[in-house]
Amino acid sequence: QKAVNKMDYIRKISEMYHENISLYPPCQTKSVLDVPAEITSILHISDGICETMANPETGEVMPIGWIIYPYEMIRSDTAFYKAEYKIDGVVFSDDGAGNPFVLKPDGTVVCFNAIDDEEDKVSNSLSDFWEVNHRL
């Protein structure tokens, strides 16, 4: 499996969302030991990535949802799902309907459905996650 650098992830995300994304100042937390390197590398460029759209009436660009949560949100959501549902992994985003995407310790990505208490594998890696979801 080839290594994907942080700019490749951001490029893939930008392409996936047809350039309709908003980047933020880099995460200032020096030690993010509780977050996998793939996500940390993105956070050190932009502390979260948001999907955007133009307001149809004003044309003003506005955020509509997180693609990758900011560091503090990753920490708090991961802690919540670990405590409430015994989820093993890092919550880094959601499907827009409240179901979190979790990067598992083995590198796979799952979507967790709390109602059914089930994890559905969506990709073999974070890099594949952007490719798979780009085709949806």
Side-chain angles (χ1 to χ4, degrees):
Q1 180 179 358
K2 74 174 185 132
V4 178
N5 74 38
K6 54 194 165 195
M7 292 310 292
D8 286 340
Y9 283 126
I10 292 172
R11 180 186 47 74
K12 282 183 177 187
I13 292 166
S14 183
E15 289 171 1
M16 179 179 166
Y17 287 89
H18 307 288
E19 315 302 320
N20 295 315
I21 66 169
S22 182
L23 301 178
Y24 297 90
C27 178
Q28 296 301 310
T29 304
K30 297 286 187 236
S31 176
V32 287
L33 300 175
D34 51 344
V35 177
E38 304 101 297
I39 295 174
T40 301
S41 66
I42 296 168
L43 297 175
H44 282 282
I45 293 174
S46 179
D47 191 11
I49 299 176
C50 202
E51 181 181 7
T52 61
M53 68 175 277
N55 181 314
E57 294 183 14
T58 66
E60 179 183 350
V61 174
M62 57 187 190
I64 59 171
W66 289 109
I67 298 168
I68 294 182
Y69 294 157
Y71 175 65
E72 287 303 324
M73 195 170 170
I74 289 172
R75 283 185 40 150
S76 65
D77 278 26
T78 298
F80 171 79
Y81 283 98
K82 187 172 291 214
E84 290 293 317
Y85 300 100
K86 309 300 183 237
I87 294 294
D88 188 23
V90 174
V91 175
F92 67 93
S93 188
D94 64 62
D95 66 358
N99 299 310
F101 289 119
V102 182
L103 182 60
K104 303 297 281 182
D106 68 0
T108 60
V109 177
V110 300
C111 185
F112 177 68
N113 179 330
I115 293 171
D116 297 329
D117 195 23
E118 292 180 351
E119 293 181 359
D120 294 314
K121 184 177 173 183
V122 293
S123 70
N124 290 322
S125 68
L126 192 59
S127 179
D128 288 348
F129 176 76
W130 304 122
E131 296 293 335
V132 168
N133 283 303
H134 189 286
R135 292 190 297 268
L136 296 178

